[in-house]
Amino acid sequence: MVMQDGGTVDVRPGADPGRAAPEHRGAYRVTALCLGVYAGTLLAWTVYGIARGDGDLDDFLEGLFNPGAAPAAQVLGPYEWSFTVVFAVVAALALAQRRVARSAALLSAALLLAVSLREGVGLLSGPYRAQYGHDPLGGWALATRGLGLVVALVVPAVLLPAVEGRRRAPGTAAWAGPDARRDRSARICGVLFLLMGLARLSWTVRDLTAGGTDVAHYLRGVVDGSLLGTPDLSASTEFTTVGSVLTLLVLGTLALCARRDVRGALLVFAAVELYLTVRTVVWLTVTDFFNRSFETTEGALSMATTAYGLAAMTSVVVLATGRGFGPYGGIRTEGFRTARAGRP
């Protein structure tokens, strides 16, 4: 208690609004188990790729940020490396019953489902199915795909019903205090995501219409896992490009509508995009492209897009991890009251 002008101010912390409700603990634990197991599976593939590759651990660590130093033979690519970390972190947050894990886990499940559906389309091809039998690791790769499908189905099944309403103190206006700040932060993140998505969409359309690109073949690579002809756990360039554009636009739209429950999804996807952008900047640096980028209009626009991506994704990560965005504990406004005369 704190005495002030004959009254009392109750500053005792209430229940942590950042934690899931007790009735949802089971759903969060199942989510943590599923994502943790899948993260461990991807980690095992990563370790196997390092062991069988030409380089050593130091080469792999350098290749995480320098594409030119990455060993040629790797089972997984940078997208899978980044999402291995995402799955592990989200699993830890879900195990700790943090509400921020919900949207992050749902996003992870949606991306895994997209990968699984793409692989399912590929398996309709007889020659592609036969490749799994010819490859010594085909059975393990197919089991990994199956595990991803199970995770993609189980996580939404347990988390979608685990909806929690906005926790606001009685008598507090919806537009006041933390709620207004969270709405503002959400909309800023939404605008940053939408602009990034539109910029990437423009570059994709430009590449497809510039000539020399088979549009039908490109679009097939987005939805058909058999296009490469061999089982590959690394996502194709076509799939990752279109997938990132759609994710940026969908999450940006939800955030712009002040859907604060997408905070976790914004955070993890912005972190992935930030990592990949930093990797691109390192590649541009080692290839000395920076010195030649402004010789053409296209090069200058490309550099501007990369710079915006670096700044925008950093801003989203900062906003999404800040106390002004998402539920957090604070002074209980309902605790402000006037004490009875003579009572401490």
Side-chain angles (χ1 to χ4, degrees), residues 28 40 56 58 65 81 110 158 222 247 264 343:
Y28 278 74
D56 54 15
D58 291 338
F65 292 94
W81 296 336
V158 299
V222 176
T247 304
R343 184 173 177 177

Side-chain angles (χ1 to χ4, degrees), residues 49-269:
I50 296 173
R52 80 164 191 176
D54 298 331
D56 54 15
L57 180 60
D58 291 338
D59 294 328
F60 173 78
L61 293 177
E62 183 181 357
L64 287 176
F65 292 94
N66 181 8
Q74 286 292 328
V75 180
L76 304 180
Y79 277 89
E80 291 72 29
W81 296 336
S82 58
F83 274 103
T84 299
V85 178
V86 166
F87 294 149
V89 171
V90 176
L93 291 172
L95 189 61
Q97 304 292 309
R98 306 307 300 179
R99 292 175 62 186
V100 70
R102 183 175 182 269
S103 63
L106 289 174
L107 173 64
S108 302
L111 294 175
L112 278 177
L113 182 60
V115 172
S116 300
L117 292 177
R118 179 177 180 270
E119 191 65 15
V121 173
L123 289 173
L124 297 177
S125 170
Y128 183 66
R129 290 197 305 271
Q131 289 294 327
Y132 275 102
H134 299 153
D135 194 313
L137 296 175
W140 290 105
L142 190 59
T144 302
R145 295 295 194 191
L147 177 61
L149 178 60
V150 171
V151 173
L153 295 177
V154 171
V155 170
V158 299
L159 276 187
L160 284 177
V163 179
E164 303 192 45
R166 179 179 301 184
R167 301 181 187 179
R168 180 165 50 88
T172 302
W175 50 264
D179 284 338
R181 290 195 297 271
R182 289 195 294 266
D183 288 346
R184 185 165 54 251
S185 296
R187 293 190 178 100
I188 292 173
C189 291
V191 170
L192 294 175
F193 259 51
L194 286 174
L195 291 177
M196 189 69 235
L198 291 174
R200 192 161 294 172
L201 176 62
S202 300
W203 280 109
T204 303
V205 172
R206 181 263 173 197
D207 292 338
L208 292 177
T209 57
T213 301
D214 188 339
V215 178
H217 186 271
Y218 184 95
L219 295 178
R220 181 189 169 192
V222 176
V223 299
D224 188 354
S226 68
L227 188 64
L228 296 177
T230 58
D232 195 347
L233 291 175
S234 296
S236 67
T237 302
E238 298 88 351
F239 177 80
T240 56
T241 300
V242 174
S244 66
V245 169
L246 291 177
T247 304
L248 287 167
L249 294 178
V250 171
L251 287 181
T253 301
L254 292 175
L256 191 60
C257 296
R259 292 290 303 273
R260 293 189 299 280
D261 54 341
V262 302
R263 175 195 174 197
L266 289 170
L267 177 58
V268 298
F269 198 74

Side-chain angles (χ1 to χ4, degrees), residues 1-27:
M1 293 289 181
V2 178
M3 294 294 296
Q4 183 177 2
D5 295 333
T8 61
V9 178
D10 187 352
V11 294
R12 294 173 298 179
D16 183 1
R19 290 180 63 86
E23 61 269 24
H24 298 149
R25 288 176 182 172

